[in-house]
Amino acid sequence: MKVVISIGTLKNPNWDLAVFIEHCMMASKEKIQNYEHFLNNVLRQDLKEELERRDKLFQDIADHSQLKQSINCIILDETNEGLRTQVDLGSNFYVQAHVPDVSRIYVNVGLGIHVELTLQEALVFIEKRLKILNEKVSTSTKKSAKIKGDIRYVYELLKQLQGLDRSVYYFIVWKKMAAPVESVPVNVFKVFLVSLTAFMILWFVPLILGKYTDVTYPYIARGDIIQELVGLVGDAGKGMRWCPPVSPYIEDTVRLIDDEFDTIAEEELVNDYEIKPGGSWKPQDCISRYQVAIIVPYRTRSHQLQQFLTYMHPYLIRQQLDYRIIVVEQSNATTFNRAKLFNIGFVESLKLATIDCFIFHDVDLLPQNDMNIYACTHHPRHMYSALDKFRYHLPYRNLFGGAIAVQRVHFSAVNGFANRFYGWGGEDDDFYNRIEQKGLTIIRFDPRVALYVMLPHQSLPPSEDRFIHLNEGISKSEDGLANLSYQLLEKKVHPLYTRFLVLC
């Protein structure tokens, strides 16, 4: 069957072309001025005010979460010695104070009104207050997203209007000079066949091969991320203040990362960002709420390590973290054991400082959104929900590798990683089983936040024994931190990281 689409002959216009063009140009200039005024003085101002309101809500959530943690600490304290604290008398002058009875607390319920509550009553109030604040954050986020959409729409409209003068001219001249257009025959059956073939290739074949995965897994919504983070609480100290729970320097946008981006020299990074020896950094104008050690297993990937350091140091600094990057390098004498290197990094890090949060991170993964804050949560967290290698889908729900954040108490409770996984594969699934056996829950952030890029690299062949070792998990639960053995060949403080060379 054929359908003939006929385009009729275009007739010459009867109006004065010059007058029409001038009229259109004047109208377009007036519209451009109106839209520019609306964009700059209305939409952008509304967006600024909405984001400021949302930031205040985030601050309220952080304050109530800190109060909740403080009350829980008081409840768990069995010494009955009361509470020792410092009171600000003004002008940065503090005095020590002792509260003998901590069974009741004054809580600000709004409008400057403070109500005396028992600790349990205060916890109930805080839970309800947090629920209300999170609902307001969600509403504010939707409103700001709508304003951003309006800004984008007006911006695109302005781009079209600014090109109207030239387009009007060419369009009219084309109409004036256009010749008759011949009829075009269309073979409907051929078009349908080509479309069906393209659909099979682009969509149906990947579906059969299992390239599409389940996207219904649970995750922490973007507006609830701050409430899930575990940070330091209490008095910041004399003359100091806490950094805000959400750093003002982060950009809640998705960064496009080129696999072959240029690295920055060590000296330049150190000078530009004031990085301390050993790859440590902390803000100078406030006290970070999040202290973390980032453990990176490594061997013979020098270029990727430089890319990792070039990208991650500015990323972590924007989040106002108190962090240190620790690279655990395995000598070439034995087969690579990623899990054991994580255990060694955990043990050696605690010799450097008291750290409660650890991030176990592969050298070839880079986060794309600053809102994916590198801090621990109440439960162990799988940090990437969407990886470019997997077409930004989660391959399977039990995946718990690549980049994970675990509190020290949880990592010790599960006895760390198993030491028996030499070669590629199996150790992440075994660690997931350990987490599950202890009754802990794995969480993930919103996939729009937990976006990662994997740097290209040559994959290692899978270990032939990985499934055997994985099936031994329950019977060999003592394998891990409890029986960790290794030889420390060298400890060196580099400008951008602390390096441990080990034989294991």
Side-chain angles (χ1 to χ4, degrees):
M1 181 178 65
K2 293 186 178 180
V3 176
V4 177
I5 301 176
S6 179
I7 304 176
T9 303
L10 301 175
K11 298 181 179 180
N12 293 335
N14 296 322
W15 56 78
D16 189 330
L17 184 60
V19 174
F20 179 77
I21 292 175
E22 183 179 0
H23 173 75
C24 291
M25 292 176 63
M26 291 179 61
S28 65
K29 289 180 180 179
E30 182 179 356
K31 287 184 178 179
I32 289 173
Q33 292 176 353
N34 292 336
Y35 280 121
E36 284 180 343
H37 179 272
F38 180 66
L39 177 65
N40 295 321
N41 298 338
V42 179
L43 289 180
R44 287 179 174 167
Q45 184 63 28
D46 289 347
L47 179 61
K48 178 182 177 182
E49 294 174 356
E50 191 61 40
L51 292 177
E52 289 176 352
R53 281 193 291 269
R54 192 179 67 171
D55 289 341
K56 291 180 180 178
L57 291 172
F58 278 137
Q59 183 63 50
D60 287 344
I61 290 174
D63 292 340
H64 282 79
S65 297
Q66 289 178 16
L67 179 59
K68 178 181 175 181
Q69 293 182 33
S70 299
I71 292 175
N72 285 328
C73 290
I74 293 173
I75 293 174
L76 295 175
D77 184 16
E78 299 178 353
T79 60
N80 296 323
E81 294 181 356
L83 176 67
R84 294 189 178 275
T85 183
Q86 290 183 330
V87 179
D88 185 5
L89 300 182
S91 301
N92 290 327
F93 185 75
Y94 292 80
V95 296
Q96 292 186 351
H98 176 245
V99 183
D101 183 10
V102 291
S103 61
R104 306 183 74 83
I105 188 173
Y106 280 94
V107 178
N108 185 358
V109 296
L111 301 177
I113 301 174
H114 291 73
V115 177
E116 184 180 4
L117 303 173
T118 64
L119 297 183
Q120 294 298 335
E121 290 172 341
L123 288 176
V124 172
F125 169 80
I126 292 171
E127 288 294 342
K128 293 182 178 180
R129 183 63 177 165
L130 285 173
K131 182 179 180 181
I132 294 173
L133 290 173
N134 284 319
E135 290 174 353
K136 289 184 178 180
V137 166
S138 179
T139 302
S140 178
T141 300
K142 292 178 182 178
K143 187 174 181 180
S144 61
K146 182 181 182 303
I147 297 174
K148 289 178 182 179
D150 293 340
I151 290 176
R152 182 66 180 176
Y153 175 78
V154 174
Y155 175 74
E156 292 295 333
L157 189 60
L158 277 172
K159 286 174 60 178
Q160 295 181 17
L161 286 175
Q162 287 170 350
L164 183 62
D165 297 346
R166 181 174 295 181
S167 64
V168 167
Y169 174 77
Y170 285 122
F171 176 74
I172 295 176
V173 171
W174 174 78
K175 284 194 68 176
K176 188 177 181 67
M177 302 179 64
V181 182
E182 298 180 356
S183 300
V184 180
V186 178
N187 190 324
V188 175
F189 178 75
K190 186 176 181 180
V191 171
F192 172 76
L193 187 61
V194 172
S195 301
L196 180 61
T197 304
F199 170 79
M200 294 287 291
I201 295 174
L202 297 176
W203 295 100
F204 193 63
V205 173
L207 180 63
I208 295 176
L209 297 177
K211 296 299 183 181
Y212 300 129
T213 54
D214 183 14
V215 295
T216 62
Y217 60 88
Y219 57 80
I220 305 301
R222 184 192 300 252
D224 297 332
I225 287 177
I226 303 304
Q227 186 177 344
E228 286 295 324
L229 297 176
V230 176
L232 300 176
V233 297
D235 185 19
K238 183 177 180 180
M240 296 298 294
R241 63 179 181 86
W242 290 109
C243 298
V246 179
S247 169
Y249 305 110
I250 66 175
E251 300 175 6
D252 189 7
T253 57
V254 177
R255 299 176 181 274
L256 300 179
I257 303 174
D258 183 5
D259 294 340
E260 299 300 328
F261 68 88
D262 295 331
T263 60
I264 301 176
E266 285 186 348
E267 183 178 356
E268 184 177 349
L269 274 173
V270 169
N271 293 335
D272 290 348
Y273 295 98
E274 299 181 352
I275 301 171
K276 302 301 181 184
S280 64
W281 186 91
K282 60 182 178 181
Q284 300 300 313
D285 56 342
C286 59
I287 299 178
S288 177
R289 298 176 183 271
Y290 314 115
Q291 184 183 30
V292 59
I294 300 165
I295 312 297
V296 182
Y298 169 78
R299 183 161 72 180
T300 63
R301 288 192 187 179
S302 59
H303 180 63
Q304 284 193 348
L305 179 59
Q306 290 303 316
Q307 287 183 307
F308 180 84
L309 297 170
T310 295
Y311 184 86
M312 289 304 298
H313 272 296
Y315 179 90
L316 299 170
I317 288 172
R318 287 196 297 271
Q319 295 183 353
Q320 289 188 313
L321 305 177
D322 182 353
Y323 73 90
R324 178 189 292 267
I325 295 180
I326 295 172
V327 176
V328 187
E329 181 177 359
Q330 183 176 348
S331 68
N332 293 324
T334 56
T335 305
F336 191 70
N337 190 325
R338 173 174 169 271
K340 201 169 186 178
L341 295 182
F342 279 143
N343 287 341
I344 296 171
F346 176 81
V347 171
E348 293 295 333
S349 299
L350 292 176
K351 297 178 182 178
L352 301 176
T354 301
I355 303 169
D356 292 320
C357 178
F358 290 83
I359 293 179
F360 302 96
H361 206 297
D362 288 346
V363 73
D364 53 17
L365 292 179
L366 299 178
Q368 294 182 260
N369 192 322
D370 288 358
M371 274 301 294
N372 192 3
I373 298 175
Y374 270 50
C376 283
T377 45
H378 295 287
H379 301 280
R381 172 164 60 107
H382 186 221
M383 300 188 68
Y384 75 78
S385 304
L387 180 64
D388 66 334
K389 178 182 177 181
F390 303 132
R391 302 176 67 175
Y392 292 104
H393 287 77
L394 189 68
Y396 56 98
R397 294 195 182 192
N398 293 358
L399 179 63
F400 196 57
I404 60 175
V406 186
Q407 293 188 53
R408 178 180 62 173
V409 62
H410 293 155
F411 194 76
S412 299
V414 301
N415 196 24
F417 283 86
N419 298 313
R420 61 184 180 276
F421 287 92
Y422 284 89
W424 182 88
E427 69 276 8
D428 293 329
D429 292 330
D430 180 83
F431 190 67
Y432 176 89
N433 293 336
R434 292 175 176 229
I435 293 287
E436 193 175 51
Q437 288 167 14
K438 289 295 181 180
L440 298 172
T441 303
I442 301 297
I443 67 169
R444 294 182 174 92
F445 284 170
D446 191 317
R448 295 172 298 175
V449 172
L451 294 161
Y452 277 78
V453 164
M454 176 176 285
L455 299 175
H457 63 281
Q458 184 177 1
S459 300
L460 296 174
S463 171
E464 297 179 356
D465 299 329
R466 66 188 187 281
F467 293 114
I468 297 175
H469 294 323
L470 189 58
N471 292 331
E472 296 172 345
I474 298 176
S475 61
K476 291 192 175 182
S477 59
E478 75 282 354
D479 181 23
L481 296 175
N483 66 344
L484 178 64
S485 63
Y486 62 95
Q487 182 181 353
L488 180 59
L489 301 179
E490 183 184 24
K491 171 189 172 183
K492 187 173 181 179
V493 176
H494 290 260
L496 297 179
Y497 62 96
T498 301
R499 170 176 172 263
F500 294 101
L501 178 63
V502 299
L503 175 64
C504 59

